[in-house]
mmCIF file of all heavy atoms in Angstrom:
data_model
loop_
_atom_site.group_PDB
_atom_site.id
_atom_site.type_symbol
_atom_site.label_atom_id
_atom_site.label_comp_id
_atom_site.label_asym_id
_atom_site.label_seq_id
_atom_site.Cartn_x
_atom_site.Cartn_y
_atom_site.Cartn_z
ATOM 1 N N LEU E 1 -122.376 55.725 -121.239
ATOM 2 C CA LEU E 1 -122.214 56.448 -122.482
ATOM 3 C C LEU E 1 -123.457 57.276 -122.775
ATOM 4 O O LEU E 1 -124.569 56.885 -122.437
ATOM 5 C CB LEU E 1 -121.968 55.486 -123.641
ATOM 6 C CG LEU E 1 -120.833 54.476 -123.466
ATOM 7 C CD1 LEU E 1 -120.652 53.677 -124.751
ATOM 8 C CD2 LEU E 1 -119.538 55.161 -123.070
ATOM 9 N N SER E 2 -123.244 58.411 -123.427
ATOM 10 C CA SER E 2 -124.334 59.293 -123.804
ATOM 11 C C SER E 2 -124.331 59.506 -125.306
ATOM 12 O O SER E 2 -123.269 59.624 -125.920
ATOM 13 C CB SER E 2 -124.206 60.652 -123.108
ATOM 14 O OG SER E 2 -124.273 60.522 -121.707
ATOM 15 N N CYS E 3 -125.511 59.561 -125.877
ATOM 16 C CA CYS E 3 -125.712 59.868 -127.287
ATOM 17 C C CYS E 3 -126.699 61.012 -127.347
ATOM 18 O O CYS E 3 -127.887 60.831 -127.047
ATOM 19 C CB CYS E 3 -126.238 58.635 -128.027
ATOM 20 S SG CYS E 3 -126.690 58.910 -129.753
ATOM 21 N N ALA E 4 -126.223 62.190 -127.714
ATOM 22 C CA ALA E 4 -127.029 63.399 -127.650
ATOM 23 C C ALA E 4 -127.271 63.968 -129.041
ATOM 24 O O ALA E 4 -126.384 63.955 -129.896
ATOM 25 C CB ALA E 4 -126.346 64.447 -126.782
ATOM 26 N N ALA E 5 -128.471 64.485 -129.241
ATOM 27 C CA ALA E 5 -128.839 65.191 -130.454
ATOM 28 C C ALA E 5 -129.281 66.595 -130.085
ATOM 29 O O ALA E 5 -129.979 66.792 -129.079
ATOM 30 C CB ALA E 5 -129.950 64.465 -131.202
ATOM 31 N N SER E 6 -128.903 67.567 -130.897
ATOM 32 C CA SER E 6 -129.176 68.965 -130.569
ATOM 33 C C SER E 6 -130.342 69.566 -131.329
ATOM 34 O O SER E 6 -130.871 70.592 -130.914
ATOM 35 C CB SER E 6 -127.931 69.815 -130.812
ATOM 36 O OG SER E 6 -127.536 69.760 -132.171
ATOM 37 N N GLU E 7 -130.764 68.961 -132.428
ATOM 38 C CA GLU E 7 -131.737 69.593 -133.304
ATOM 39 C C GLU E 7 -133.015 68.797 -133.524
ATOM 40 O O GLU E 7 -134.056 69.382 -133.827
ATOM 41 C CB GLU E 7 -131.099 69.886 -134.671
ATOM 42 C CG GLU E 7 -129.930 70.850 -134.590
ATOM 43 C CD GLU E 7 -129.292 71.110 -135.932
ATOM 44 O OE1 GLU E 7 -129.669 70.434 -136.917
ATOM 45 O OE2 GLU E 7 -128.420 71.992 -136.010
ATOM 46 N N VAL E 8 -132.950 67.510 -133.400
ATOM 47 C CA VAL E 8 -134.086 66.640 -133.673
ATOM 48 C C VAL E 8 -134.394 65.806 -132.439
ATOM 49 O O VAL E 8 -133.479 65.220 -131.857
ATOM 50 C CB VAL E 8 -133.808 65.722 -134.882
ATOM 51 C CG1 VAL E 8 -134.972 64.770 -135.107
ATOM 52 C CG2 VAL E 8 -133.546 66.550 -136.126
ATOM 53 N N PRO E 9 -135.651 65.737 -132.032
ATOM 54 C CA PRO E 9 -135.973 64.901 -130.868
ATOM 55 C C PRO E 9 -135.685 63.431 -131.140
ATOM 56 O O PRO E 9 -136.262 62.826 -132.046
ATOM 57 C CB PRO E 9 -137.472 65.139 -130.655
ATOM 58 C CG PRO E 9 -137.749 66.453 -131.307
ATOM 59 C CD PRO E 9 -136.827 66.506 -132.491
ATOM 60 N N LEU E 10 -134.806 62.863 -130.343
ATOM 61 C CA LEU E 10 -134.455 61.469 -130.526
ATOM 62 C C LEU E 10 -135.612 60.538 -130.235
ATOM 63 O O LEU E 10 -135.597 59.391 -130.688
ATOM 64 C CB LEU E 10 -133.255 61.101 -129.649
ATOM 65 C CG LEU E 10 -131.889 61.586 -130.111
ATOM 66 C CD1 LEU E 10 -130.816 61.142 -129.121
ATOM 67 C CD2 LEU E 10 -131.569 61.068 -131.504
ATOM 68 N N ASP E 11 -136.595 61.009 -129.494
ATOM 69 C CA ASP E 11 -137.747 60.174 -129.201
ATOM 70 C C ASP E 11 -138.505 59.786 -130.460
ATOM 71 O O ASP E 11 -139.279 58.825 -130.439
ATOM 72 C CB ASP E 11 -138.679 60.884 -128.222
ATOM 73 C CG ASP E 11 -139.764 59.983 -127.684
ATOM 74 O OD1 ASP E 11 -139.440 58.845 -127.275
ATOM 75 O OD2 ASP E 11 -140.937 60.393 -127.665
ATOM 76 N N TYR E 12 -138.288 60.517 -131.543
ATOM 77 C CA TYR E 12 -138.928 60.165 -132.810
ATOM 78 C C TYR E 12 -138.322 58.925 -133.449
ATOM 79 O O TYR E 12 -138.905 58.377 -134.399
ATOM 80 C CB TYR E 12 -138.792 61.310 -133.817
ATOM 81 C CG TYR E 12 -139.553 62.576 -133.506
ATOM 82 C CD1 TYR E 12 -139.472 63.665 -134.364
ATOM 83 C CD2 TYR E 12 -140.353 62.701 -132.386
ATOM 84 C CE1 TYR E 12 -140.153 64.839 -134.109
ATOM 85 C CE2 TYR E 12 -141.040 63.863 -132.117
ATOM 86 C CZ TYR E 12 -140.939 64.935 -132.983
ATOM 87 O OH TYR E 12 -141.623 66.095 -132.720
ATOM 88 N N TYR E 13 -137.175 58.512 -132.972
ATOM 89 C CA TYR E 13 -136.386 57.493 -133.641
ATOM 90 C C TYR E 13 -136.047 56.343 -132.720
ATOM 91 O O TYR E 13 -135.886 56.509 -131.512
ATOM 92 C CB TYR E 13 -135.065 58.080 -134.152
ATOM 93 C CG TYR E 13 -135.213 59.226 -135.107
ATOM 94 C CD1 TYR E 13 -135.221 60.534 -134.652
ATOM 95 C CD2 TYR E 13 -135.337 58.994 -136.466
ATOM 96 C CE1 TYR E 13 -135.351 61.591 -135.531
ATOM 97 C CE2 TYR E 13 -135.463 60.044 -137.350
ATOM 98 C CZ TYR E 13 -135.471 61.339 -136.878
ATOM 99 O OH TYR E 13 -135.595 62.387 -137.761
ATOM 100 N N ALA E 14 -135.891 55.177 -133.304
ATOM 101 C CA ALA E 14 -135.116 54.143 -132.648
ATOM 102 C C ALA E 14 -133.646 54.558 -132.667
ATOM 103 O O ALA E 14 -133.172 55.128 -133.648
ATOM 104 C CB ALA E 14 -135.288 52.795 -133.355
ATOM 105 N N VAL E 15 -132.956 54.308 -131.579
ATOM 106 C CA VAL E 15 -131.540 54.653 -131.465
ATOM 107 C C VAL E 15 -130.782 53.421 -131.028
ATOM 108 O O VAL E 15 -131.202 52.726 -130.100
ATOM 109 C CB VAL E 15 -131.310 55.800 -130.466
ATOM 110 C CG1 VAL E 15 -129.823 56.111 -130.354
ATOM 111 C CG2 VAL E 15 -132.079 57.041 -130.895
ATOM 112 N N ALA E 16 -129.679 53.166 -131.675
ATOM 113 C CA ALA E 16 -128.877 51.994 -131.354
ATOM 114 C C ALA E 16 -127.433 52.372 -131.084
ATOM 115 O O ALA E 16 -126.897 53.318 -131.676
ATOM 116 C CB ALA E 16 -128.930 50.964 -132.480
ATOM 117 N N TRP E 17 -126.827 51.621 -130.190
ATOM 118 C CA TRP E 17 -125.400 51.682 -129.952
ATOM 119 C C TRP E 17 -124.704 50.551 -130.694
ATOM 120 O O TRP E 17 -125.144 49.395 -130.627
ATOM 121 C CB TRP E 17 -125.079 51.560 -128.461
ATOM 122 C CG TRP E 17 -125.400 52.783 -127.669
ATOM 123 C CD1 TRP E 17 -126.517 53.039 -126.953
ATOM 124 C CD2 TRP E 17 -124.545 53.922 -127.507
ATOM 125 N NE1 TRP E 17 -126.430 54.265 -126.351
ATOM 126 C CE2 TRP E 17 -125.237 54.832 -126.673
ATOM 127 C CE3 TRP E 17 -123.280 54.260 -127.974
ATOM 128 C CZ2 TRP E 17 -124.697 56.060 -126.304
ATOM 129 C CZ3 TRP E 17 -122.745 55.482 -127.615
ATOM 130 C CH2 TRP E 17 -123.449 56.363 -126.791
ATOM 131 N N PHE E 18 -123.639 50.900 -131.387
ATOM 132 C CA PHE E 18 -122.764 49.953 -132.046
ATOM 133 C C PHE E 18 -121.364 50.118 -131.493
ATOM 134 O O PHE E 18 -121.026 51.156 -130.918
ATOM 135 C CB PHE E 18 -122.742 50.172 -133.563
ATOM 136 C CG PHE E 18 -123.977 49.725 -134.287
ATOM 137 C CD1 PHE E 18 -125.190 50.366 -134.097
ATOM 138 C CD2 PHE E 18 -123.917 48.659 -135.170
ATOM 139 C CE1 PHE E 18 -126.328 49.965 -134.766
ATOM 140 C CE2 PHE E 18 -125.051 48.246 -135.853
ATOM 141 C CZ PHE E 18 -126.250 48.891 -135.650
ATOM 142 N N ARG E 19 -120.547 49.107 -131.684
ATOM 143 C CA ARG E 19 -119.149 49.222 -131.307
ATOM 144 C C ARG E 19 -118.268 48.612 -132.381
ATOM 145 O O ARG E 19 -118.679 47.704 -133.100
ATOM 146 C CB ARG E 19 -118.875 48.568 -129.949
ATOM 147 C CG ARG E 19 -119.097 47.069 -129.899
ATOM 148 C CD ARG E 19 -118.980 46.577 -128.460
ATOM 149 N NE ARG E 19 -119.185 45.146 -128.363
ATOM 150 C CZ ARG E 19 -119.293 44.495 -127.217
ATOM 151 N NH1 ARG E 19 -119.209 45.151 -126.061
ATOM 152 N NH2 ARG E 19 -119.475 43.178 -127.215
ATOM 153 N N GLU E 20 -117.055 49.134 -132.460
ATOM 154 C CA GLU E 20 -116.115 48.690 -133.474
ATOM 155 C C GLU E 20 -114.724 48.603 -132.871
ATOM 156 O O GLU E 20 -114.168 49.610 -132.431
ATOM 157 C CB GLU E 20 -116.124 49.644 -134.661
ATOM 158 C CG GLU E 20 -115.259 49.197 -135.806
ATOM 159 C CD GLU E 20 -115.417 50.082 -137.023
ATOM 160 O OE1 GLU E 20 -116.476 50.733 -137.158
ATOM 161 O OE2 GLU E 20 -114.481 50.127 -137.839
ATOM 162 N N ALA E 21 -114.194 47.406 -132.856
ATOM 163 C CA ALA E 21 -112.808 47.183 -132.477
ATOM 164 C C ALA E 21 -111.950 47.195 -133.738
ATOM 165 O O ALA E 21 -112.450 46.915 -134.836
ATOM 166 C CB ALA E 21 -112.657 45.868 -131.728
ATOM 167 N N PRO E 22 -110.665 47.507 -133.620
ATOM 168 C CA PRO E 22 -109.814 47.564 -134.809
ATOM 169 C C PRO E 22 -109.861 46.273 -135.618
ATOM 170 O O PRO E 22 -109.709 45.178 -135.074
ATOM 171 C CB PRO E 22 -108.418 47.804 -134.234
ATOM 172 C CG PRO E 22 -108.669 48.516 -132.949
ATOM 173 C CD PRO E 22 -109.928 47.907 -132.411
ATOM 174 N N GLY E 23 -110.102 46.408 -136.909
ATOM 175 C CA GLY E 23 -110.132 45.268 -137.798
ATOM 176 C C GLY E 23 -111.385 44.431 -137.733
ATOM 177 O O GLY E 23 -111.451 43.397 -138.404
ATOM 178 N N LYS E 24 -112.383 44.849 -136.950
ATOM 179 C CA LYS E 24 -113.593 44.063 -136.798
ATOM 180 C C LYS E 24 -114.804 44.803 -137.345
ATOM 181 O O LYS E 24 -114.803 46.022 -137.477
ATOM 182 C CB LYS E 24 -113.826 43.713 -135.328
ATOM 183 C CG LYS E 24 -112.773 42.800 -134.729
ATOM 184 C CD LYS E 24 -113.138 42.390 -133.318
ATOM 185 C CE LYS E 24 -112.114 41.435 -132.744
ATOM 186 N NZ LYS E 24 -112.467 41.030 -131.358
ATOM 187 N N GLU E 25 -115.821 44.033 -137.644
ATOM 188 C CA GLU E 25 -117.076 44.581 -138.131
ATOM 189 C C GLU E 25 -117.736 45.423 -137.044
ATOM 190 O O GLU E 25 -117.669 45.100 -135.856
ATOM 191 C CB GLU E 25 -118.005 43.438 -138.545
ATOM 192 C CG GLU E 25 -119.376 43.871 -139.028
ATOM 193 C CD GLU E 25 -119.393 44.305 -140.471
ATOM 194 O OE1 GLU E 25 -118.338 44.261 -141.128
ATOM 195 O OE2 GLU E 25 -120.473 44.694 -140.956
ATOM 196 N N ARG E 26 -118.361 46.517 -137.455
ATOM 197 C CA ARG E 26 -119.144 47.304 -136.521
ATOM 198 C C ARG E 26 -120.346 46.485 -136.070
ATOM 199 O O ARG E 26 -121.144 46.015 -136.888
ATOM 200 C CB ARG E 26 -119.583 48.612 -137.167
ATOM 201 C CG ARG E 26 -120.193 49.598 -136.187
ATOM 202 C CD ARG E 26 -120.330 50.991 -136.787
ATOM 203 N NE ARG E 26 -119.030 51.603 -137.061
ATOM 204 C CZ ARG E 26 -118.856 52.876 -137.385
ATOM 205 N NH1 ARG E 26 -119.906 53.686 -137.478
ATOM 206 N NH2 ARG E 26 -117.646 53.341 -137.628
ATOM 207 N N GLU E 27 -120.474 46.320 -134.763
ATOM 208 C CA GLU E 27 -121.405 45.384 -134.169
ATOM 209 C C GLU E 27 -122.506 46.110 -133.416
ATOM 210 O O GLU E 27 -122.230 46.977 -132.584
ATOM 211 C CB GLU E 27 -120.656 44.448 -133.207
ATOM 212 C CG GLU E 27 -121.547 43.540 -132.386
ATOM 213 C CD GLU E 27 -120.814 42.878 -131.238
ATOM 214 O OE1 GLU E 27 -119.774 43.420 -130.795
ATOM 215 O OE2 GLU E 27 -121.265 41.810 -130.779
ATOM 216 N N GLY E 28 -123.746 45.738 -133.672
ATOM 217 C CA GLY E 28 -124.851 46.275 -132.903
ATOM 218 C C GLY E 28 -124.829 45.756 -131.477
ATOM 219 O O GLY E 28 -124.727 44.553 -131.252
ATOM 220 N N VAL E 29 -124.931 46.658 -130.517
ATOM 221 C CA VAL E 29 -124.842 46.320 -129.104
ATOM 222 C C VAL E 29 -126.194 46.389 -128.420
ATOM 223 O O VAL E 29 -126.602 45.466 -127.706
ATOM 224 C CB VAL E 29 -123.839 47.241 -128.391
ATOM 225 C CG1 VAL E 29 -123.820 46.961 -126.891
ATOM 226 C CG2 VAL E 29 -122.448 47.081 -128.989
#
């Protein structure tokens, strides 16, 4: 999977992946 930003350097930030299955809480991965 890719998470791309076009305007702000992502290196300035912590970046996290989350996932959400139907009916479930969005979960940090």
Side-chain angles (χ1 to χ4, degrees):
L1 307 185
S2 298
C3 174
S6 61
E7 298 179 353
V8 177
L10 285 180
D11 190 47
Y12 292 179
Y13 302 92
V15 179
W17 286 96
F18 286 67
R19 64 188 180 188
E20 185 173 336
K24 295 185 178 180
E25 178 82 1
R26 190 167 294 191
E27 172 193 23
V29 176

